[in-house]
Amino acid sequence: VLNMWIDGVHRGYFYVPAYSTAGNTLPLQIGRNGATSAKYWQGKIDDLRIWNIARRGTDIAAAFRSELTEPPPGLIANWTFNEAGGSTSQDAIVVRADAGLQGAARFSEDVHPQ
């Protein structure tokens, strides 16, 4: 089951009918609906985290307004999008997978809410 949380609130889930632990070589795309789709996210994304473990709702709600200083167990990607400019957001975990901004995507000067 894939779950989506936005601003500490559970917004939805999707049952994955079949999966493989082998993965694939395709890049992760954030804010786009499919590789050939022209449908893009029309909003802002800040402090995006991907986990490989199930987390309790109370843990998510308690930590969503805080940037992590150290990667906890199970966190496999964390983009804070704090860069002042450019076209790359650094992954904040040890085994990094930086994110490249494409198209009209740009960094915002908004301050992370506390």
Side-chain angles (χ1 to χ4, degrees):
V1 176
L2 299 175
N3 285 279
M4 178 185 278
W5 290 75
I6 300 175
D7 294 336
V9 177
H10 187 250
R11 301 290 182 169
Y13 61 91
F14 174 74
Y15 286 103
V16 180
Y19 65 91
S20 168
T21 58
N24 63 50
T25 59
L26 299 174
L28 172 67
Q29 295 188 1
I30 301 165
R32 186 173 183 187
N33 186 8
T36 59
S37 173
K39 297 178 184 177
Y40 296 96
W41 178 261
Q42 299 295 314
K44 295 181 180 182
I45 300 174
D46 184 37
D47 206 358
L48 182 104
R49 301 171 189 167
I50 299 176
W51 301 81
N52 68 359
I53 60 171
R55 298 188 69 228
R56 295 186 315 238
T58 53
D59 294 334
I60 294 169
F64 86 96
R65 288 195 180 269
S66 303
E67 288 187 356
L68 302 173
T69 56
E70 293 290 324
L75 182 66
I76 59 172
N78 182 194
W79 298 281
T80 60
F81 299 106
N82 288 344
E83 291 77 8
S87 61
T88 303
S89 182
Q90 293 184 347
D91 189 353
I93 65 167
V94 177
V95 181
R96 291 178 35 187
D98 295 343
L101 278 62
Q102 298 180 341
R106 60 184 168 74
F107 290 106
S108 172
E109 295 180 12
D110 292 352
V111 177
H112 190 282
Q114 298 298 322

